[in-house]
Amino acid sequence: PAQMKWLIDYQYVRGLNLLVAGCYPLSTDDHHMLGERPHFGPVDPLWDDLPKFHRYVARLGYLLACGEPVIETALYYPVRDIWATKSASVAANTHDTLAQKLFERQCDFDLIDDDLLADPHTRVADGLLSAGKMKYRTVVVGFTEQMSPRSRERLAELERSGGTVIRVNKVEDAAQALQQATPTVSLERQAPQQCQLRA
């Protein structure tokens, strides 16, 4: 339970507010018991405690969803490149480096992708990309060859309206390019050079 809570807290403090729990077994008969680990069902010794954990996760998600958004930076997640091209490792490495450099610069960010950029409810006006309550003034884009044409149009629209799109194709250019990104807070003791993102 402590490790489960740590994993939820680790993700939720970074902006998640909804968990869709999967891996519930379709059956506890015969070989189905061996096919899934961990096995969430009455045979799990933690089964009786799971309702408390679920209430915690639901309440935490609700409270976080009630907050006022203050993040004005979005990082484009190149999922199409990661799945579809021979340059997948370049796209993933550039993305991860940009995320690390944004953390080091004290810039909170949300991940966005082609689905959000192409959504007809996503709007651009007055230098802001608006999606629901979120309003992004800056969008950071790493190496990508597969960004949808609609996403490219939306980012060009953001630039024309006064917003900022930071494009970084090479890892070595990340730190310099991100000088344009505005830190969310300014703390005297900055983030360490390498955040340990392990459980």
Side-chain angles (χ1 to χ4, degrees):
Q3 187 177 19
M4 291 166 64
K5 181 182 181 303
W6 187 94
L7 286 168
I8 291 296
D9 292 347
Y10 181 88
Q11 295 176 70
Y12 276 41
V13 77
R14 285 160 176 79
L16 297 183
N17 58 34
L18 178 64
L19 174 72
V20 179
C23 203
Y24 277 89
L26 299 176
S27 172
T28 56
D29 294 334
D30 303 320
H31 65 282
H32 296 293
M33 289 293 288
L34 301 174
E36 298 177 28
R37 293 286 186 249
H39 188 86
F40 291 109
V43 297
D44 185 336
L46 301 176
W47 181 251
D48 291 339
D49 293 319
L50 281 177
K52 293 178 211 162
F53 175 72
H54 291 157
R55 280 193 296 277
Y56 170 76
V57 173
R59 184 70 177 160
L60 182 62
Y62 166 74
L63 292 171
L64 290 172
C66 291
E68 257 329 289
V70 295
I71 295 174
E72 293 188 342
T73 302
L75 175 60
Y76 175 76
Y77 182 64
V79 67
R80 293 162 59 110
D81 289 271
I82 291 170
W83 280 93
T85 69
K86 62 184 179 195
S87 303
S89 63
V90 176
N93 188 37
T94 307
H95 175 270
D96 291 349
T97 299
L98 288 170
Q100 182 65 43
K101 295 297 181 191
L102 284 166
F103 279 135
E104 290 172 11
R105 195 162 157 65
Q106 302 181 21
C107 296
D108 284 333
F109 60 91
D110 285 339
L111 296 177
I112 63 171
D113 60 11
D114 289 303
D115 290 344
L116 182 133
L117 289 168
D119 189 312
H121 296 101
T122 300
R123 302 278 180 236
V124 173
D126 302 322
L128 296 171
L129 175 74
S130 301
K133 289 182 177 181
M134 301 310 297
K135 295 183 182 346
Y136 305 110
R137 189 170 305 285
T138 303
V139 177
V140 179
V141 180
F143 177 88
T144 178
E145 294 176 331
Q146 299 295 319
M147 181 185 284
S148 74
R150 181 64 186 123
S151 295
R152 290 182 194 281
E153 291 169 18
R154 188 59 60 80
L155 292 177
E157 192 181 339
L158 176 62
E159 287 178 300
R160 285 192 301 272
S161 78
T164 302
V165 178
I166 302 171
R167 293 177 178 81
V168 183
N169 284 319
K170 296 179 184 175
V171 169
E172 54 270 18
D173 297 337
Q176 180 63 33
L178 293 177
Q179 293 300 312
Q180 300 175 62
T182 305
T184 310
V185 295
S186 182
L187 302 176
E188 288 183 22
R189 183 175 172 166
Q190 295 196 359
Q193 292 300 310
Q194 287 295 324
C195 294
Q196 295 299 316
L197 303 179
R198 285 185 255 144

